Amino acid sequence: MSQVNLKNFVKNGRKIIGAVLNYKDCITDNAPGAPIIFLKATSSYVEEGKPVSLPKIFTKVFHEVELGVVIGEKCKNVTVEEASKYVGGYCLALDLTGMCFIGKAREKSLPWDLGKGFDTATPVSRFIDLKEIPNPNDLRLWLKVNGESRQDQSTSEMYFKIPELISYASQFMTLEPNDVILTGTPAGASTIKHGDLIECGIGDLVQLKFSVQDD
């Protein structure tokens, strides 16, 4: 893999690709035949030390803890077998979701990008080097709100694994260094509000804290 500085993926990334319904405990009906993906604006990134700001127009925002995959090399139309070599590293991420907006949009078959891409909708950790996570398919993701456990699951429960997500996305769009793929969230996503404190982590490897405030 060519040498690319991925530590500044927040600043240099051009797209965030998210996956939905990708944990077995979230699939209530028939399993999807292919990954279900969406795009988030890179302006939705926020790093630790700054608060999460909830848009005034939203009445219900959910937290979703996820493993983020940072793409390390440009690729397109890659196979599942070769996809892993394009992983440059990882991050811990939250995919905050304006459920009030998305619920109405789904009912009317309208786009729901604004429910996923608002300012501060994608809190992220530092860049995590490949050598820190030798096996991304067996990581504990957890999240607490005000000390109460909300989500706690292993990435082993992902329905579509990382190579499958990369391969599928690359059939439609070129993946570039510093792009991030959010791999989906386990069950337990729930509401956050002004004054809450979100704590989340990948086991004991990386932990994050974000305060929540109204915009």
Side-chain angles (χ1 to χ4, degrees):
M1 181 179 293
S2 59
Q3 295 299 312
V4 177
N5 183 5
L6 301 175
K7 292 184 178 181
N8 293 323
F9 70 93
V10 169
K11 178 181 178 181
N12 297 325
R14 299 183 64 182
K15 49 190 174 291
I16 305 168
I17 301 168
V20 298
L21 295 178
N22 197 36
Y23 273 76
K24 296 172 185 177
D25 57 8
C26 293
I27 300 173
T28 56
D29 297 315
N30 294 330
I36 304 171
I37 64 174
F38 61 92
L39 293 175
K40 300 187 72 165
T42 55
S43 57
S44 68
Y45 277 133
V46 61
E47 296 179 276
E48 192 172 27
K50 297 180 180 179
V52 165
S53 296
L54 306 181
K56 295 177 181 178
I57 197 170
F58 288 165
T59 58
K60 183 187 291 185
V61 176
F62 273 21
H63 60 72
E64 299 181 13
V65 66
E66 311 202 5
L67 175 65
V69 177
V70 183
I71 298 299
E73 189 172 340
K74 186 175 182 179
C75 62
K76 184 172 175 61
N77 291 321
V78 300
T79 65
V80 172
E81 291 73 22
E82 65 184 359
S84 292
K85 70 181 183 181
Y86 296 100
V87 176
Y90 304 94
C91 67
L92 174 64
L94 294 175
D95 175 24
L96 302 184
T97 304
M99 292 301 295
C100 52
F101 182 93
I102 287 180
K104 294 178 181 178
R106 284 173 174 165
E107 289 175 3
K108 299 179 180 180
S109 298
L110 296 174
W112 39 275
D113 305 65
L114 297 179
K116 288 284 192 179
F118 59 91
D119 290 347
T120 75
T122 315
V124 290
S125 73
R126 65 171 177 85
F127 174 75
I128 304 171
D129 194 89
L130 287 173
K131 64 177 179 287
E132 297 182 75
I133 297 182
N135 182 12
N137 295 313
D138 188 18
L139 300 173
R140 178 187 170 222
L141 296 179
W142 59 269
L143 182 143
K144 298 178 181 179
V145 177
N146 303 326
E148 175 192 2
S149 179
R150 296 277 188 87
Q151 294 182 278
D152 197 329
Q153 186 59 274
S154 171
T155 56
S156 64
E157 293 300 305
M158 284 196 294
Y159 189 75
F160 294 105
K161 304 301 184 184
I162 292 170
E164 294 172 284
L165 295 175
I166 292 173
S167 175
Y168 184 75
S170 78
Q171 311 307 311
F172 300 89
M173 64 190 80
T174 299
L175 303 180
E176 302 166 286
N178 294 292
D179 286 348
V180 169
I181 296 179
L182 304 179
T183 56
T185 196
S190 188
T191 308
I192 53 174
K193 64 184 186 305
H194 176 80
D196 283 346
L197 177 65
I198 302 172
E199 299 174 85
C200 56
I202 300 175
D204 296 323
L205 176 64
V206 175
Q207 299 184 26
L208 291 177
K209 290 184 180 181
F210 285 94
S211 61
V212 181
Q213 65 181 30
D214 290 332
D215 195 355

